[in-house]
Amino acid sequence: MEDNFSAANGKVLVIEDDIIVGELYVNSLSDLGYEVTWAQDGEAGLKAALQQQYDVILLDIIMPEKDGRAILRELRAHGDKVPNSKIIVFTNLAQDDGSRSEVEKYADDYLIKADIKPSQLIAKIEQLLSKSA
């Protein structure tokens, strides 16, 4: 399932299966003027990312259909289809150093959901977007 929330500060794709977390990020970003698309499983998220250009992709690791690591690898393998997208991986999953470094190699940022407030996530998004401007 994909839902679009219209706005004007930039395009953000949220790939997150947790309804509470997804709604929190979608509402926070939409309130600030971002155009937000929300995909609630990995397959829908990958499809959305490859069909339309987003400024930022927020990517959860553990999801149904396709996990975030697989999505991340596919997005970077198709870099020509997502040339300007900044990818922020966020998860509550504790990872060993090898798994985390693999994810960090392909992502523009890596955040632990339990440690970050919506305002901090928004600051990270704005920081990444200002670097690419």
Side-chain angles (χ1 to χ4, degrees):
M1 178 169 122
E2 254 180 73
D3 294 314
N4 290 316
F5 304 88
S6 187
N9 277 348
K11 290 183 176 185
V12 178
L13 172 60
V14 177
I15 306 174
E16 168 63 64
D17 64 317
D18 184 298
I19 292 173
I20 294 170
V21 172
E23 285 180 352
L24 176 65
Y25 291 145
V26 166
N27 291 335
S28 297
L29 290 164
S30 294
D31 288 349
L32 291 173
Y34 289 93
E35 181 180 325
V36 184
T37 300
W38 179 18
Q40 295 181 3
D41 68 62
E43 282 293 336
L46 180 61
K47 181 179 175 184
L50 294 175
Q51 287 181 342
Q52 182 175 337
Q53 180 63 45
Y54 292 91
D55 299 302
V56 176
I57 299 171
L58 300 178
L59 177 61
D60 188 16
I61 292 290
I62 304 298
M63 286 181 299
E65 305 302 323
K66 186 177 285 267
D67 79 359
R69 284 184 207 86
I71 294 168
L72 187 57
R73 284 190 297 272
E74 287 191 50
L75 289 176
R76 292 309 188 200
H78 293 94
D80 57 324
K81 293 185 181 178
V82 290
N84 302 313
S85 295
K86 300 296 182 189
I87 301 174
I88 300 174
V89 170
F90 57 96
T91 186
N92 276 329
L93 181 66
Q95 296 187 14
D96 61 54
D97 290 339
S99 296
R100 183 171 174 156
S101 66
E102 177 196 4
V103 169
E104 288 176 328
K105 177 172 75 171
Y106 295 110
D108 294 288
D109 213 330
Y110 181 98
L111 306 171
I112 303 297
K113 283 188 220 179
D115 296 342
I116 194 157
K117 297 176 184 161
S119 60
Q120 293 169 310
L121 175 64
I122 290 163
K124 286 281 187 188
I125 290 171
E126 291 174 353
Q127 178 186 18
L128 285 174
L129 291 178
S130 70
K131 286 181 184 178
S132 62

